[in-house]
Amino acid sequence: WTGGEGNVVIGGNLANNISGTTFGLLKFNGDTDQNITGQKITVDSLVVENTQNDVTNDTDVHFQADVDIVAFDDADGDSERDSGESSGVFNPVEGTTYITGTFTMNSDANGTARIATLDNSGGGSNVRFGIGNSITFERYVPAVSDGYSFLLLGNYVTGATRLEWSNSFSPAFNMVMSFDEDFAVLADGGSTAWSVISGDATTLSSDGTGYVVYTSANSNPTITATGGYNTGQVSLSMTSSSGANQGGGMNLLTNPFPCPIDGAQLLSENGLFSTYYIYDNATDTWKTTLTGAPGTIDIGQSFYVQASAGGSVDFNLSQLTHGTNSFVREIDPLEQGIVGFQISQEDGRFGKTFVRFHEDSDETFEWDFDVSHRASGNNNNPEIFSVVDEDHALHLNSPGSKSDVNFVNLTVESGSSSTVSISMDEDFPLPEGICGLIVDTETGASTAIGGDPLVLDLQPFTTFEDRFILEFMTTPNFTVTSSYCSGGTVHFGTEEESNAWIINWSNESGNTGSGCISGLQPGTYDFEALDPISQCISSSELTVNEVCMGDFNLNGERDITDLLILLVGIQPVNNFDGTFPETDCDCDGAMTTLDLLMFLPQFGNYCD
C-alpha cells in the first residue's frame, strides 16, 4: 500500500510487509481478536472500535508492529497545515488496544498528534502495554532568536523523567523550574518561590502542575517522553496567598492531557479564576483570554491562573477539543469595550496594557474583572501598565463604566532604547461614545488615543510612575438610518454637536468625504470625528443596508406590518403635513394612493 491518502477499515488482521506504508485513516472494527504485525505503519488517523466484549485489559486489537501517528493530517500533501487539516489522531473508541511494539505520537512545526478518546473502562476504550512498552509522546517547541527565553511547558506523560527533557534539549542549555505560589519571598532576595528541578531520575509531575524552562536562543527541541497518560479527571490543589512577597493567587498549571483542551470550557467549569495567562515567546509578552491568548490550550502548554481563593482546579474530559486558536468568548452585555495601548521602541520590542469599561467594575482590584500584570522576563523590553490599590500592577484594568472613568494613571518602564512611543493598539480600538488623550504630565505633550503615537525620549532601564495618564471623555455617537428613497443618512449626536466636530469619512471603494451626509449608497463606511479643541478623536464603522421598496420595518419582506405603516402614512392626522418619507414608494416627497398602488403588487414578497 503506497501513498498517504488511503482510508482503510479492517475487520480482521493486518500484516504489513512493506516499509514506509502510510495511511490516511486506518480503522479496526472487528468483533474478534485482531492482530497488527509486520513493518512500521504511519497513519494520520488511527481508530480502534472493536466490539468483541466489554472486558478491560484483554487483547482485542494487538499492535505488534510499530506505529507512528503523524503530526497532522496533510490532506492536500503540501506539507503545511491548512484550514481544515487537524492534528494526527489516535482514537481508541471501544475495545482494548494492546501495544507490544513501539507507538509514537509525532509532533513538528505543523502540529502535534493527539489522543481523542481518553476513556479507560471495560465498556468503552482501554489501552494497555506489554512489559517495557508504552507510548512515546513528542512535543515540538518553536525557537526564538532574540536571546535566552522562558518557555511555559508542562508534562502530561505519566512516568516521564527530567533526563528525557534534558536529552530533548541537548545540546542547548535548559533549566526546569516549578513555582510555589504561597512561598514568602524574603525582601533581601535570600529565598525564592522558584525551585529548580534537578536530578536525571526525578519524575516530572503529570497532575496539572506547570513548569517554566529557561533555555538558550534558537533552541527548538522536540520534547520526547515515554510513558502512560491520564484517562480521567485530573484535580490539582491551588493556593491563594495575600501575604507580603507571596504569589497573590498566581498558580502555574498545565494541560495534563495528550489532547488540547478548550479554554472557555476550562473557565466555565472552574469558578476560582476568570482568565488565564499564556506567555508569547515570539514577542516576550503575556496574553490573556481577553487580550489574544489562544482559546485552545495545547498539548504540553503551561499557563498561569489567578485564584480568588484556595481550592482545586478540575481538568475534565469534557474540556477535550482539537485544533488551535478556537476561543470564542461569550458577550457580556454590561461590558462596553476594551481599548489597548502599546509602548514600543525602535528595535521592535514592545509591551501592552488594556483598559476595560464595564458597568459593574470599579477602581479597586477585582479578580473577576481585572488581570494582573506580569513582566515579560526580558529587561530589554519596554513595559506599560496601570496600578491600583497602591501597588497592584494590572495588565487589564477595569476602572468602571465609560461615563464614570476620567483618568487612568500609567506606569512606564523604559527598555533598552532611549526613544519609545506610546499608541493605541489597533486591534483593540476605543469603544464608541468615548475619546481620550495619552498625556505626559511632565512635559505637557499629549496625543489623541487613536491618533499619532506619543514619541518620548526617556532614560533607558528606568521606571516612571505617575507621569503618564490616560484622559477619557464622552462623545456623541455615530448612527445611520436607511430608507428606500434617501439611501443612508449618518448622524453624529445633535446638529450642534455635529457642527462642533470635524468629520471625515471613507468607504470600502476608496471614496472619501466630510460631514454627516445623506444619500449614501449601500456599503461599509469609516467615519472619524475630531474635536479641534481637545484634539479627541471618535471613530466608527457604519453599514448602510440596502432597503427595498415597501420594506418599511427593514425585515427583508413586504408583510402586513409594512401595509399598516403605509396606511398610517396615507391617512391625514393632526399636525401632519402630508409627507411621510419612510413610506414614500415613488420618491416624490408626498404620500398618495400611487404609493399604495406601487406597494400592493409586492405585498407578501421577500426582498431580493
Side-chain angles (χ1 to χ4, degrees):
W1 189 278
T2 60
E5 299 309 310
N7 298 325
V8 182
V9 180
I10 298 176
N13 299 327
L14 172 63
N16 176 37
N17 298 306
I18 304 296
S19 62
T21 304
T22 314
F23 294 95
L25 166 72
L26 184 57
K27 180 177 180 179
F28 295 94
N29 68 343
D31 55 9
T32 60
D33 284 347
Q34 296 179 265
N35 295 303
I36 296 86
T37 59
Q39 300 197 44
K40 178 187 286 188
I41 295 169
T42 300
V43 58
D44 292 340
S45 176
L46 177 64
V47 180
V48 173
E49 195 171 3
N50 185 287
T51 58
Q52 179 174 195
N53 54 50
D54 292 335
V55 177
T56 303
N57 291 332
D58 61 352
T59 308
D60 295 326
V61 180
H62 186 181
F63 285 93
Q64 301 168 55
D66 297 339
V67 176
D68 276 3
I69 310 296
V70 299
F72 77 113
D73 178 10
D74 187 18
D76 58 7
D78 64 356
S79 299
E80 295 181 0
R81 184 171 177 176
D82 305 313
S83 176
E85 295 179 337
S86 62
S87 296
V89 59
F90 170 42
N91 195 0
V93 178
E94 187 174 0
T96 296
T97 300
Y98 183 45
I99 298 172
T100 57
T102 66
F103 206 100
T104 304
M105 306 295 292
N106 293 147
S107 178
D108 60 25
N110 295 301
T112 298
R114 64 188 172 95
I115 299 181
T117 300
L118 303 184
D119 177 31
N120 196 32
S121 64
S125 69
N126 178 223
V127 178
R128 72 185 187 96
F129 309 99
I131 297 174
N133 296 96
S134 55
I135 294 179
T136 298
F137 295 91
E138 296 179 353
R139 171 71 258 192
Y140 173 82
V141 178
V144 293
S145 59
D146 61 348
Y148 282 83
S149 62
F150 291 96
L151 303 175
L152 263 70
L153 297 182
N155 174 55
Y156 53 95
V157 183
T158 57
T161 65
R162 177 69 176 90
L163 177 62
E164 291 176 289
W165 278 25
S166 298
N167 291 338
S168 299
F169 276 95
S170 180
F173 168 80
N174 70 96
M175 181 170 63
V176 180
M177 296 171 287
S178 63
F179 179 70
D180 184 358
E181 184 277 338
D182 65 358
F183 191 97
V185 180
L186 298 180
D188 61 4
S191 61
T192 176
W194 293 97
S195 298
V196 176
I197 307 300
S198 59
D200 289 343
T202 301
T203 300
L204 299 172
S205 297
S206 57
D207 59 0
T209 298
Y211 294 107
V212 170
V213 179
Y214 185 56
T215 185
S216 51
N218 298 308
S219 172
N220 59 339
T222 298
I223 308 298
T224 302
T226 301
Y229 57 92
N230 294 309
T231 59
Q233 176 179 303
V234 175
S235 297
L236 179 68
S237 295
M238 298 186 300
T239 55
S240 181
S241 59
S242 57
N245 300 312
Q246 288 185 298
M250 301 300 299
N251 288 260
L252 182 58
L253 311 177
T254 195
N255 173 9
F257 298 124
C259 183
I261 60 175
D262 183 85
Q265 190 70 19
L266 173 71
L267 295 178
S268 69
E269 294 178 4
N270 291 278
L272 293 179
F273 47 88
S274 58
T275 189
Y276 53 81
Y277 302 69
I278 289 181
Y279 191 63
D280 185 346
N281 288 91
T283 60
D284 291 323
T285 57
W286 291 93
K287 294 182 177 180
T288 74
T289 48
L290 298 178
T291 61
T296 298
I297 302 175
D298 218 336
I299 300 170
Q301 174 69 63
S302 287
F303 56 95
Y304 276 100
V305 300
Q306 187 167 26
S308 61
S312 67
V313 54
D314 295 328
F315 297 95
N316 302 311
L317 300 187
S318 58
Q319 298 161 12
L320 301 184
T321 184
H322 59 86
T324 57
N325 301 321
S326 60
F327 183 71
V328 178
R329 182 167 57 88
E330 293 182 0
I331 295 175
D332 183 343
L334 298 182
E335 181 180 291
Q336 301 167 320
I338 297 176
V339 57
F341 299 91
Q342 177 170 303
I343 183 171
S344 56
Q345 57 191 38
E346 294 171 325
D347 62 2
R349 296 179 182 276
F350 66 89
K352 290 187 179 183
T353 194
F354 301 86
V355 176
R356 179 191 193 191
F357 300 99
H358 194 286
E359 293 183 16
D360 284 346
S361 60
D362 59 41
E363 294 181 353
T364 62
F365 173 74
E366 301 164 286
W367 75 271
D368 49 345
F369 289 116
D370 303 314
V371 177
S372 299
H373 169 76
R374 296 193 67 81
S376 71
N378 190 329
N379 291 335
N380 292 314
N381 279 19
E383 302 273 6
I384 184 170
F385 50 88
S386 54
V387 175
V388 298
D389 300 339
E390 296 184 359
D391 61 355
H392 198 139
L394 295 183
H395 177 70
L396 187 146
N397 186 355
S398 302
S401 66
K402 292 191 297 185
S403 59
D404 296 333
V405 178
N406 297 316
F407 300 96
V408 172
N409 290 313
L410 296 176
T411 294
V412 167
E413 295 178 352
S414 58
S416 58
S417 174
S418 60
T419 301
V420 298
S421 62
I422 304 175
S423 60
M424 186 185 75
D425 183 347
E426 294 183 357
D427 292 333
F428 294 86
L430 277 167
E432 289 191 46
I434 193 170
C435 69
L437 303 174
I438 306 171
V439 181
D440 180 355
T441 60
E442 182 173 303
T443 64
S446 67
T447 188
I449 297 174
D452 295 332
L454 180 64
V455 181
L456 306 161
D457 288 323
L458 301 176
Q459 181 72 25
F461 305 110
T462 304
T463 299
F464 299 89
E465 299 177 349
D466 303 323
R467 173 172 169 175
F468 301 99
I469 63 170
L470 301 172
E471 181 179 356
F472 295 103
M473 292 162 273
T474 57
T475 72
N477 285 321
F478 280 103
T479 58
V480 61
T481 57
S482 300
S483 68
Y484 172 67
C485 294
S486 302
T489 301
V490 172
H491 316 270
F492 186 63
T494 65
E495 182 176 354
E496 181 180 356
E497 290 172 327
S498 178
N499 291 334
W501 292 66
I502 300 172
I503 298 174
N504 294 290
W505 61 267
S506 63
N507 66 5
E508 50 198 355
S509 300
N511 300 320
T512 60
S514 61
C516 290
I517 61 173
S518 60
L520 292 174
Q521 296 296 312
T524 300
Y525 294 80
D526 291 316
F527 273 78
E528 184 175 276
L530 170 67
D531 181 356
I533 298 176
S534 69
Q535 295 299 304
C536 255
I537 295 175
S538 178
S539 59
S540 180
E541 182 181 89
L542 303 174
T543 299
V544 175
N545 296 315
E546 184 172 2
V547 180
C548 66
M549 188 274 292
D551 182 18
F552 309 128
N553 62 349
L554 307 180
N555 69 344
E557 61 180 313
R558 279 67 69 96
D559 53 20
I560 188 65
T561 302
D562 298 304
L563 177 59
L564 293 174
I565 294 173
L566 180 63
L567 293 176
V568 170
I570 292 177
Q571 296 299 320
V573 296
N574 293 333
N575 302 318
F576 182 58
D577 61 7
T579 62
F580 202 70
E582 290 82 359
T583 56
D584 188 1
C585 293
D586 58 6
C587 300
D588 65 353
M591 278 304 308
T592 67
T593 54
L594 290 177
D595 297 300
L596 179 60
L597 293 175
M598 289 186 65
F599 173 84
L600 289 177
Q602 301 298 329
F603 179 70
N605 293 334
Y606 287 96
C607 296
D608 292 334

